[in-house]
Amino acid sequence: MVEAYNLEKEGCPLICRFATMGTVKSIQHSQMGDYLVTIEEKNCATYLRAYTNWRYQAEGKARVAVRLLGHLLRGASVRGGLQMEIIEIPLSERPVAVACCPVTGDLLVGCENTLVLFTLRGPNQQSQNQSPQMVESSWTNSQQSSSQSRGPHTDSNPNFLDFERSVILHLSQMNPKQVALCGEYVAVQGELEVLVVKLETSSEPKTLEESSDTKKTDHLEDQADFQVLPRHQELLGDRAKDCDIAVSVEKTGLEDITGQYTLSYVLFRRFTPDFFQGCSVEETRLHSLQLYPLFTGNQSVSLQEPLCVFCFFSLPSTGYLYSLKGGVELLSLYQYPETVLKAVLTDYLLHVITKSALQCFTVRCAAVAARIEDPYIDSTMKACPPCSMEVCALRIQLFIGLRSLCVYGHHVILLSAADAETTEEPERTPQRRGLELKEHTLLTGIFLAVGIDPATTPALESLLSRPFLSRKWTISSPKETSTAGHGWNLYVVDTVSPLTLYQEMVEYSQRYAETNPQAQSLRHLLSEAHLLLRVSLLQTSEQQRIIEEDSSLSLQTDAEGPAEKRDSAELEEAFKQNCAQLGDCFSRGSQRECHLALPYYRMSGLSVTELMARNRPLSGSPHCYGPGFLFYLKHYLFEETEQILSQEAADEVIDIFSQSEPSQLVSACASPSLINISSAKTLQILQHLEDTAGVSVPLTTTMATMMLRLDDLPEYTRLMERHAEMVLVYGFIEEPRLLLHGEHTHIRPTALTRQLAKSQPGLLVAAVVALHENNKVQLEHADHIFEELHCENCLQVDFWEAMLMASSQQTIIQELLFRVASVYIDRLTNTPSETHSIGPHMPSKHRPLKSADDLINSCSHYGALYPWLIVLNPAHTTSSQHQEALYKLQSLLCGPSLSVGSVMPLMERLSDETLWGFSLHLLCATRRGQYDSSIEKLLDRCPQAIIAYANHHLQDNHMVLWWQKLLPELCNRTRVAADNSILLAALKETLVVVAMETSPTEFLELMPDDGTVSYFLPYLLTCSQRHLLA
């Protein structure tokens, strides 16, 4: 008989009651699919059966369908009749244990030497891509809707389920006693060992290695009086494949549908009874094997893959918890105070039962989940207690005769039986003593036969006195429970809510806080509370996401939304309170862990004013501010923050540093959060620091800043003149916040920066350049600073020019070259060129820090002006500002770095009607290799510069242009020009070069047909003489 009760309703009302086909030896319920699976015995035979749609028995209907696995009925089962179905699952071996996957609903059956995996199939297959909570609720709702809308003409049954045999695993040298399944992980427990493997499916066909042939273990033959015990082992991850248990995969013929299965070893653990230490076989009886998944609300919609998977198993005296995802590791070791019969792992706690008590232990699931979900949780922003922290027991509740335990949600279900003492043990005692005496006599005779007298060796005599060396030993099976003579009781215990348990832990922690605020026990207890709240928040976020995504629960969401939001808000508030308490513990802790105060205080959401009040020493107390709080305060002040403290709070911060760490006073004063400090009071503290610690550049500039706030300019000037400008630059590198406040797009200049822009612009530019070169400020942030200073663009251009002299980064250099070139072109366009011009474009009052000559001499990107430009740039014909911009732009075009193509669109703004404009366009054409057109343009506009141009540019590969382009042009233009004196002088210079570079024959070919022989004859003679000498 199976009875089902509803734990969600008050009083746990009966859902249904139905009879089974045999005596139930084991029963499991799967939330995915809402089916029951049993191992039953009848007529000395063992059966495996699955019960689906069992909730329909609540209506008192007697219709039950029985069918074989994979055989569909043609009657009411298919047409939609509402009835329970019993599925017979045939197996080639006797089933020993079963397990249902909490993620997919699949079924794992452990037989004597094999594991058989059945895949859950049904019309609601899409529900397998949801979390177990979603599937359970949707499955229940679908059944309720089906029962309400049932009729004789329904075409199909929406709740029809079936299983497919997907894979068979053969085990060697291991007899399964318990099995567990979770997603791709399969766990099997034997008498003394636990093995966890991972089954993965892939569409690519792979040849499975028969591990049974490759792994062999030498076995000793069964001897007359000895049993060989395997050694203790723990193999994690890839090392687990070295265990002596071979697992081979048998194909089922469904590989084309399900894909090929590949197997990998994950975990192997073997225990060996230590008889020499007084350990009995019963003390190594493994139980409570469990694979436990953990989901969070931040995962994707498809929750087929849980965030974490844990493996738990237990000995009567010790429990073991392993994490399987993200690296296999032993998380916790549970040392029970008394023998434990069964244990169940949950998100919050580990529940265990003994013969007379229910006990609870803390778990580390939340710590693992937090680190997998956020790999950077252990930082200055966030923190979480370590996974390696020791576990502790929380509660003990007494019962009588506990036998079994299971957990559903926040309900713990206990089964107890008050059994009378049996008389079997006294009757067996004489027989057992006779066997022990026989063993002792036999072994003593063996030792005497080889010349060893056990009586002379106390250790050997003690060894032989122990009753464990029988000819064969086996781990006895648990005694069969009989219904006769027992008073059976079923208890449903509601566990305390995490928030209530947290409040109790906080209340209990106050005892430690009053006696010893730095006690390790206090920190441990608060850390346990933190993990409790963290896993509650993970579950709350998941439940909220499930409700939002499940449209079938929309009405329920409206009804329960406010309560759930209130609970979530209470959890968030408790979490922040716990973070503040942990921050308090670490703030006064040791130097080794004081840094943890920073992330916990940040997660608490408290302001720095509130935290100062929490850490303020009591009057008359010898204790000062703890190292953890000082660590937090330094990070708060030194990392840019927009929270500005009041004058009272800012002055208190200065007092804290003056008492605890005077060396950090300069950095504290430079913080933008302390902009409201009392300048006079702070100046006195700084002067005292200077008297005790000596003069330093950052200290001097900080004192000058205080003087500036007090409007004492003479004293400010005196302080700034203490050190040379280059030394001051090094001081600004050491503390950049003396000049800049904010971060990213919120960079802004300080009052000292504005004063330097007025009085010492060269120092400001040099300081900002040094900050950029030392990676203290980015180029765009520095540009923003100069824009904030409202100095037109003059000081910013000075900064760009200084950056060109200092920077070695090519990307920045090209960007700066384009910027300064565009500024020069803009100045040439908008600045009047006449010397005495007046009008709307008045010259700027700011004088550039570097002249064109300074840049040419100190910066490699500015080149010396070409000689022919001097001819085109007569002195004193333009204004000084115009002339300076012209010279700088010409110098850039004469230099090696500026890309002419990038500035050509900007050059179109400049007219070539003036000689200076023409010179710029001619420079660009020459840089682009347009020598022919440049020669023609220069001969048209300024022929007196042609020889200087040719001497500079027509060299090497371009030498042929002297006689191929320049000589013909000069001959033609001289012939037709009215005033050809300049052209004739240029022609003579050209003929001299041609005579030196060509042979007599080539020179004759270059002479014009209508030319005067007497004019060319001297040059031809010079060419011939040079040729003869050569």
Side-chain angles (χ1 to χ4, degrees), residues 733-782:
I733 294 175
E734 185 175 346
E735 186 47 74
R737 292 181 302 170
L738 290 169
L739 297 178
L740 314 174
H741 278 174
E743 59 181 352
H744 304 305
T745 58
H746 304 290
I747 292 289
R748 58 189 183 277
T750 63
L752 178 61
T753 303
R754 298 184 184 278
Q755 179 62 30
L756 290 177
K758 298 176 183 178
S759 58
Q760 294 175 284
L763 173 59
L764 176 61
V765 169
V768 178
V769 170
L771 292 180
H772 179 273
E773 291 303 299
N774 286 273
N775 299 319
K776 302 291 186 180
V777 66
Q778 298 180 7
L779 181 61
E780 56 269 22
H781 298 160

Short mmCIF file of all heavy atoms in Angstrom, two decimals, residues 733-782:
data_model
loop_
_atom_site.label_atom_id
_atom_site.label_comp_id
_atom_site.label_asym_id
_atom_site.label_seq_id
_atom_site.Cartn_x
_atom_site.Cartn_y
_atom_site.Cartn_z
N ILE A 733 53.34 63.74 -9.83
CA ILE A 733 53.29 62.33 -10.24
C ILE A 733 53.01 61.44 -9.04
O ILE A 733 52.25 60.46 -9.12
CB ILE A 733 54.63 61.93 -10.91
CG1 ILE A 733 54.82 62.70 -12.22
CG2 ILE A 733 54.68 60.42 -11.17
CD1 ILE A 733 56.15 62.45 -12.88
N GLU A 734 53.59 61.80 -7.90
CA GLU A 734 53.39 61.00 -6.69
C GLU A 734 51.95 61.13 -6.18
O GLU A 734 51.38 60.16 -5.68
CB GLU A 734 54.38 61.46 -5.61
CG GLU A 734 54.34 60.62 -4.35
CD GLU A 734 55.42 61.04 -3.37
OE1 GLU A 734 56.34 61.79 -3.77
OE2 GLU A 734 55.33 60.63 -2.19
N GLU A 735 51.33 62.29 -6.32
CA GLU A 735 49.94 62.48 -5.88
C GLU A 735 49.18 63.27 -6.96
O GLU A 735 49.05 64.50 -6.88
CB GLU A 735 49.90 63.22 -4.54
CG GLU A 735 48.52 63.34 -3.94
CD GLU A 735 47.76 62.04 -3.95
OE1 GLU A 735 48.07 61.14 -3.14
OE2 GLU A 735 46.84 61.90 -4.79
N PRO A 736 48.65 62.56 -7.98
CA PRO A 736 47.98 63.26 -9.10
C PRO A 736 46.71 63.98 -8.68
O PRO A 736 46.30 64.94 -9.36
CB PRO A 736 47.66 62.11 -10.08
CG PRO A 736 48.49 60.95 -9.65
CD PRO A 736 48.69 61.11 -8.18
N ARG A 737 46.07 63.55 -7.59
CA ARG A 737 44.80 64.16 -7.23
C ARG A 737 44.95 65.59 -6.70
O ARG A 737 43.95 66.25 -6.43
CB ARG A 737 44.09 63.28 -6.20
CG ARG A 737 43.64 61.95 -6.77
CD ARG A 737 42.92 61.13 -5.73
NE ARG A 737 43.76 60.90 -4.57
CZ ARG A 737 43.32 60.37 -3.43
NH1 ARG A 737 42.04 60.04 -3.31
NH2 ARG A 737 44.15 60.17 -2.42
N LEU A 738 46.18 66.04 -6.55
CA LEU A 738 46.36 67.46 -6.26
C LEU A 738 45.94 68.31 -7.45
O LEU A 738 45.57 69.49 -7.28
CB LEU A 738 47.82 67.74 -5.90
CG LEU A 738 48.30 67.18 -4.55
CD1 LEU A 738 49.81 67.30 -4.44
CD2 LEU A 738 47.61 67.89 -3.40
N LEU A 739 45.99 67.74 -8.66
CA LEU A 739 45.61 68.46 -9.88
C LEU A 739 44.28 68.01 -10.45
O LEU A 739 43.56 68.83 -11.04
CB LEU A 739 46.70 68.29 -10.95
CG LEU A 739 48.09 68.83 -10.64
CD1 LEU A 739 49.04 68.53 -11.79
CD2 LEU A 739 48.02 70.33 -10.39
N LEU A 740 43.95 66.71 -10.29
CA LEU A 740 42.78 66.15 -10.97
C LEU A 740 41.88 65.47 -9.96
O LEU A 740 42.36 64.74 -9.07
CB LEU A 740 43.20 65.14 -12.04
CG LEU A 740 44.34 65.54 -12.98
CD1 LEU A 740 44.71 64.37 -13.87
CD2 LEU A 740 43.93 66.73 -13.83
N HIS A 741 40.58 65.65 -10.13
CA HIS A 741 39.58 64.95 -9.34
C HIS A 741 38.63 64.22 -10.27
O HIS A 741 38.40 64.66 -11.40
CB HIS A 741 38.79 65.92 -8.46
CG HIS A 741 39.49 66.27 -7.19
ND1 HIS A 741 39.01 67.22 -6.30
CD2 HIS A 741 40.65 65.81 -6.64
CE1 HIS A 741 39.84 67.32 -5.28
NE2 HIS A 741 40.84 66.48 -5.46
N GLY A 742 38.06 63.12 -9.79
CA GLY A 742 37.10 62.37 -10.60
C GLY A 742 37.78 61.27 -11.38
O GLY A 742 38.99 61.02 -11.28
N GLU A 743 36.96 60.57 -12.19
CA GLU A 743 37.47 59.47 -12.99
C GLU A 743 36.62 59.35 -14.25
O GLU A 743 35.47 59.82 -14.31
CB GLU A 743 37.45 58.16 -12.21
CG GLU A 743 36.09 57.75 -11.72
CD GLU A 743 36.13 56.46 -10.92
OE1 GLU A 743 37.21 55.81 -10.88
OE2 GLU A 743 35.10 56.08 -10.37
N HIS A 744 37.21 58.73 -15.27
CA HIS A 744 36.54 58.48 -16.54
C HIS A 744 36.07 59.81 -17.14
O HIS A 744 36.87 60.70 -17.36
CB HIS A 744 35.39 57.49 -16.36
CG HIS A 744 35.83 56.19 -15.73
ND1 HIS A 744 36.85 55.43 -16.26
CD2 HIS A 744 35.40 55.55 -14.61
CE1 HIS A 744 37.03 54.37 -15.50
NE2 HIS A 744 36.17 54.41 -14.50
N THR A 745 34.77 59.93 -17.38
CA THR A 745 34.26 61.14 -18.05
C THR A 745 34.01 62.28 -17.08
O THR A 745 33.59 63.36 -17.51
CB THR A 745 32.95 60.81 -18.78
OG1 THR A 745 32.01 60.31 -17.83
CG2 THR A 745 33.18 59.77 -19.86
N HIS A 746 34.26 62.07 -15.79
CA HIS A 746 33.96 63.10 -14.79
C HIS A 746 35.24 63.76 -14.27
O HIS A 746 35.25 64.27 -13.15
CB HIS A 746 33.17 62.49 -13.63
CG HIS A 746 31.91 61.81 -14.05
ND1 HIS A 746 30.81 62.50 -14.51
CD2 HIS A 746 31.57 60.49 -14.11
CE1 HIS A 746 29.85 61.66 -14.82
NE2 HIS A 746 30.29 60.42 -14.60
N ILE A 747 36.31 63.73 -15.06
CA ILE A 747 37.55 64.39 -14.65
C ILE A 747 37.33 65.89 -14.59
O ILE A 747 36.73 66.49 -15.50
CB ILE A 747 38.69 64.04 -15.64
CG1 ILE A 747 39.06 62.57 -15.53
CG2 ILE A 747 39.90 64.91 -15.39
CD1 ILE A 747 39.77 62.21 -14.26
N ARG A 748 37.83 66.51 -13.53
CA ARG A 748 37.68 67.95 -13.39
C ARG A 748 38.94 68.50 -12.71
O ARG A 748 39.57 67.81 -11.90
CB ARG A 748 36.43 68.31 -12.59
CG ARG A 748 36.41 67.71 -11.20
CD ARG A 748 35.06 67.91 -10.51
NE ARG A 748 35.07 67.39 -9.15
CZ ARG A 748 34.87 66.13 -8.84
NH1 ARG A 748 34.65 65.25 -9.80
NH2 ARG A 748 34.88 65.74 -7.58
N PRO A 749 39.29 69.75 -13.00
CA PRO A 749 40.49 70.34 -12.40
C PRO A 749 40.22 70.80 -10.97
O PRO A 749 39.09 71.12 -10.60
CB PRO A 749 40.80 71.53 -13.31
CG PRO A 749 39.47 71.90 -13.89
CD PRO A 749 38.69 70.63 -14.01
N THR A 750 41.28 70.81 -10.17
CA THR A 750 41.18 71.31 -8.80
C THR A 750 41.45 72.81 -8.77
O THR A 750 41.80 73.43 -9.79
CB THR A 750 42.19 70.58 -7.90
OG1 THR A 750 43.51 70.89 -8.37
CG2 THR A 750 41.96 69.07 -7.95
N ALA A 751 41.29 73.38 -7.60
CA ALA A 751 41.57 74.81 -7.45
C ALA A 751 43.04 75.10 -7.71
O ALA A 751 43.40 76.15 -8.28
CB ALA A 751 41.17 75.26 -6.04
N LEU A 752 43.92 74.18 -7.33
CA LEU A 752 45.35 74.37 -7.60
C LEU A 752 45.61 74.37 -9.09
O LEU A 752 46.45 75.16 -9.59
CB LEU A 752 46.15 73.26 -6.91
CG LEU A 752 47.65 73.28 -7.12
CD1 LEU A 752 48.26 74.58 -6.59
CD2 LEU A 752 48.32 72.08 -6.46
N THR A 753 44.93 73.51 -9.85
CA THR A 753 45.11 73.48 -11.30
C THR A 753 44.70 74.81 -11.93
O THR A 753 45.39 75.33 -12.82
CB THR A 753 44.29 72.33 -11.89
OG1 THR A 753 44.66 71.11 -11.27
CG2 THR A 753 44.52 72.21 -13.38
N ARG A 754 43.59 75.37 -11.49
CA ARG A 754 43.13 76.65 -12.05
C ARG A 754 44.12 77.77 -11.73
O ARG A 754 44.35 78.66 -12.56
CB ARG A 754 41.75 76.98 -11.51
CG ARG A 754 40.68 75.94 -11.91
CD ARG A 754 39.29 76.36 -11.43
NE ARG A 754 38.31 75.33 -11.72
CZ ARG A 754 37.71 75.17 -12.91
NH1 ARG A 754 38.01 75.99 -13.90
NH2 ARG A 754 36.83 74.22 -13.08
N GLN A 755 44.68 77.71 -10.54
CA GLN A 755 45.67 78.75 -10.19
C GLN A 755 46.93 78.59 -11.02
O GLN A 755 47.51 79.60 -11.47
CB GLN A 755 45.98 78.65 -8.69
CG GLN A 755 47.01 79.65 -8.21
CD GLN A 755 46.56 81.09 -8.39
OE1 GLN A 755 45.37 81.39 -8.34
NE2 GLN A 755 47.51 82.00 -8.61
N LEU A 756 47.38 77.36 -11.24
CA LEU A 756 48.57 77.15 -12.06
C LEU A 756 48.33 77.60 -13.50
O LEU A 756 49.27 78.09 -14.16
CB LEU A 756 48.97 75.67 -12.04
CG LEU A 756 49.53 75.12 -10.73
CD1 LEU A 756 49.82 73.63 -10.85
CD2 LEU A 756 50.80 75.88 -10.33
N ALA A 757 47.12 77.43 -14.01
CA ALA A 757 46.83 77.87 -15.38
C ALA A 757 46.99 79.38 -15.51
O ALA A 757 47.34 79.89 -16.59
CB ALA A 757 45.42 77.44 -15.77
N LYS A 758 46.76 80.08 -14.42
CA LYS A 758 46.91 81.55 -14.47
C LYS A 758 48.34 81.99 -14.23
O LYS A 758 48.86 82.88 -14.93
CB LYS A 758 46.00 82.19 -13.41
CG LYS A 758 44.52 81.91 -13.62
CD LYS A 758 43.71 82.50 -12.47
CE LYS A 758 42.22 82.19 -12.60
NZ LYS A 758 41.45 82.73 -11.44
N SER A 759 48.97 81.37 -13.22
CA SER A 759 50.27 81.88 -12.80
C SER A 759 51.45 81.09 -13.37
O SER A 759 52.51 81.69 -13.65
CB SER A 759 50.36 81.88 -11.26
OG SER A 759 50.16 80.56 -10.76
N GLN A 760 51.33 79.78 -13.54
CA GLN A 760 52.44 78.95 -14.00
C GLN A 760 51.95 77.94 -15.05
O GLN A 760 51.92 76.73 -14.79
CB GLN A 760 53.08 78.21 -12.82
CG GLN A 760 53.77 79.11 -11.81
CD GLN A 760 54.29 78.34 -10.61
OE1 GLN A 760 53.50 77.96 -9.73
NE2 GLN A 760 55.61 78.11 -10.58
N PRO A 761 51.55 78.43 -16.22
CA PRO A 761 51.02 77.50 -17.23
C PRO A 761 52.05 76.48 -17.69
O PRO A 761 51.69 75.33 -18.00
CB PRO A 761 50.59 78.43 -18.38
CG PRO A 761 51.38 79.68 -18.18
CD PRO A 761 51.56 79.82 -16.71
N GLY A 762 53.32 76.87 -17.73
CA GLY A 762 54.35 75.92 -18.15
C GLY A 762 54.45 74.74 -17.19
O GLY A 762 54.61 73.58 -17.59
N LEU A 763 54.36 75.02 -15.88
CA LEU A 763 54.40 73.96 -14.87
C LEU A 763 53.19 73.04 -15.01
O LEU A 763 53.32 71.81 -14.90
CB LEU A 763 54.44 74.58 -13.47
CG LEU A 763 54.32 73.61 -12.29
CD1 LEU A 763 55.44 72.59 -12.30
CD2 LEU A 763 54.30 74.39 -10.97
N LEU A 764 52.02 73.63 -15.27
CA LEU A 764 50.81 72.81 -15.42
C LEU A 764 50.93 71.88 -16.62
O LEU A 764 50.61 70.68 -16.53
CB LEU A 764 49.59 73.73 -15.55
CG LEU A 764 48.26 73.01 -15.80
CD1 LEU A 764 47.93 72.07 -14.65
CD2 LEU A 764 47.14 74.03 -16.01
N VAL A 765 51.38 72.42 -17.75
CA VAL A 765 51.52 71.58 -18.96
C VAL A 765 52.53 70.47 -18.71
O VAL A 765 52.30 69.30 -19.05
CB VAL A 765 51.92 72.46 -20.16
CG1 VAL A 765 52.34 71.60 -21.34
CG2 VAL A 765 50.77 73.38 -20.55
N ALA A 766 53.67 70.81 -18.12
CA ALA A 766 54.69 69.79 -17.85
C ALA A 766 54.16 68.72 -16.90
O ALA A 766 54.44 67.53 -17.06
CB ALA A 766 55.94 70.45 -17.28
N ALA A 767 53.37 69.14 -15.91
CA ALA A 767 52.83 68.18 -14.94
C ALA A 767 51.84 67.23 -15.61
O ALA A 767 51.86 66.02 -15.37
CB ALA A 767 52.17 68.93 -13.79
N VAL A 768 50.94 67.77 -16.46
CA VAL A 768 49.95 66.91 -17.12
C VAL A 768 50.63 65.95 -18.09
O VAL A 768 50.24 64.78 -18.21
CB VAL A 768 48.88 67.77 -17.81
CG1 VAL A 768 47.87 66.89 -18.54
CG2 VAL A 768 48.16 68.66 -16.81
N VAL A 769 51.65 66.44 -18.81
CA VAL A 769 52.41 65.55 -19.70
C VAL A 769 53.06 64.42 -18.89
O VAL A 769 53.03 63.25 -19.29
CB VAL A 769 53.46 66.35 -20.49
CG1 VAL A 769 54.41 65.41 -21.23
CG2 VAL A 769 52.78 67.28 -21.47
N ALA A 770 53.63 64.75 -17.76
CA ALA A 770 54.26 63.72 -16.92
C ALA A 770 53.23 62.73 -16.39
O ALA A 770 53.50 61.52 -16.33
CB ALA A 770 55.00 64.39 -15.76
N LEU A 771 52.06 63.21 -16.04
CA LEU A 771 51.00 62.30 -15.58
C LEU A 771 50.59 61.35 -16.69
O LEU A 771 50.37 60.16 -16.46
CB LEU A 771 49.79 63.09 -15.09
CG LEU A 771 49.96 63.91 -13.82
CD1 LEU A 771 48.67 64.65 -13.46
CD2 LEU A 771 50.38 63.02 -12.65
N HIS A 772 50.50 61.86 -17.91
CA HIS A 772 50.13 60.99 -19.04
C HIS A 772 51.22 59.96 -19.31
O HIS A 772 50.93 58.77 -19.52
CB HIS A 772 49.88 61.84 -20.28
CG HIS A 772 49.51 61.02 -21.48
ND1 HIS A 772 50.48 60.47 -22.33
CD2 HIS A 772 48.31 60.62 -21.97
CE1 HIS A 772 49.88 59.80 -23.29
NE2 HIS A 772 48.56 59.87 -23.11
N GLU A 773 52.44 60.37 -19.30
CA GLU A 773 53.53 59.45 -19.60
C GLU A 773 53.73 58.42 -18.50
O GLU A 773 54.30 57.36 -18.74
CB GLU A 773 54.84 60.24 -19.81
CG GLU A 773 54.83 61.08 -21.08
CD GLU A 773 54.57 60.23 -22.32
OE1 GLU A 773 55.36 59.32 -22.61
OE2 GLU A 773 53.54 60.47 -22.99
N ASN A 774 53.23 58.69 -17.30
CA ASN A 774 53.32 57.73 -16.20
C ASN A 774 51.99 57.00 -15.97
O ASN A 774 51.77 56.42 -14.91
CB ASN A 774 53.75 58.43 -14.91
CG ASN A 774 55.21 58.81 -14.92
OD1 ASN A 774 56.08 58.02 -14.55
ND2 ASN A 774 55.50 60.03 -15.36
N ASN A 775 51.13 57.04 -17.00
CA ASN A 775 49.85 56.32 -16.97
C ASN A 775 48.96 56.74 -15.82
O ASN A 775 48.19 55.93 -15.28
CB ASN A 775 50.08 54.80 -16.91
CG ASN A 775 50.86 54.28 -18.10
OD1 ASN A 775 50.63 54.70 -19.23
ND2 ASN A 775 51.79 53.37 -17.86
N LYS A 776 49.04 57.99 -15.42
CA LYS A 776 48.16 58.52 -14.38
C LYS A 776 46.91 59.16 -14.95
O LYS A 776 45.92 59.33 -14.24
CB LYS A 776 48.92 59.56 -13.54
CG LYS A 776 50.20 59.05 -12.88
CD LYS A 776 49.90 58.04 -11.78
CE LYS A 776 51.18 57.66 -11.04
NZ LYS A 776 50.94 56.68 -9.95
N VAL A 777 46.94 59.55 -16.21
CA VAL A 777 45.79 60.18 -16.85
C VAL A 777 45.84 59.85 -18.33
O VAL A 777 46.92 59.68 -18.92
CB VAL A 777 45.80 61.71 -16.62
CG1 VAL A 777 46.99 62.35 -17.33
CG2 VAL A 777 44.50 62.33 -17.09
N GLN A 778 44.67 59.70 -18.94
CA GLN A 778 44.59 59.41 -20.37
C GLN A 778 44.49 60.70 -21.16
O GLN A 778 44.17 61.76 -20.62
CB GLN A 778 43.39 58.50 -20.66
CG GLN A 778 43.46 57.16 -19.98
CD GLN A 778 42.26 56.29 -20.32
OE1 GLN A 778 41.43 56.65 -21.15
NE2 GLN A 778 42.16 55.15 -19.64
N LEU A 779 44.77 60.60 -22.46
CA LEU A 779 44.84 61.79 -23.30
C LEU A 779 43.50 62.53 -23.33
O LEU A 779 43.46 63.76 -23.21
CB LEU A 779 45.27 61.39 -24.71
CG LEU A 779 45.42 62.55 -25.72
CD1 LEU A 779 46.49 63.52 -25.25
CD2 LEU A 779 45.76 62.01 -27.10
N GLU A 780 42.40 61.78 -23.50
CA GLU A 780 41.10 62.46 -23.57
C GLU A 780 40.74 63.12 -22.25
O GLU A 780 40.07 64.17 -22.24
CB GLU A 780 40.00 61.47 -23.99
CG GLU A 780 39.88 60.24 -23.11
CD GLU A 780 40.74 59.09 -23.61
OE1 GLU A 780 41.71 59.35 -24.36
OE2 GLU A 780 40.43 57.93 -23.26
N HIS A 781 41.17 62.53 -21.12
CA HIS A 781 40.91 63.15 -19.83
C HIS A 781 41.73 64.43 -19.67
O HIS A 781 41.24 65.43 -19.13
CB HIS A 781 41.24 62.18 -18.70
CG HIS A 781 40.39 60.95 -18.71
ND1 HIS A 781 40.75 59.78 -18.06
CD2 HIS A 781 39.20 60.70 -19.30
CE1 HIS A 781 39.80 58.86 -18.26
NE2 HIS A 781 38.87 59.40 -19.01
N ALA A 782 42.97 64.40 -20.14
CA ALA A 782 43.79 65.62 -20.08
C ALA A 782 43.19 66.71 -20.96
O ALA A 782 43.16 67.90 -20.58
CB ALA A 782 45.22 65.29 -20.53
#
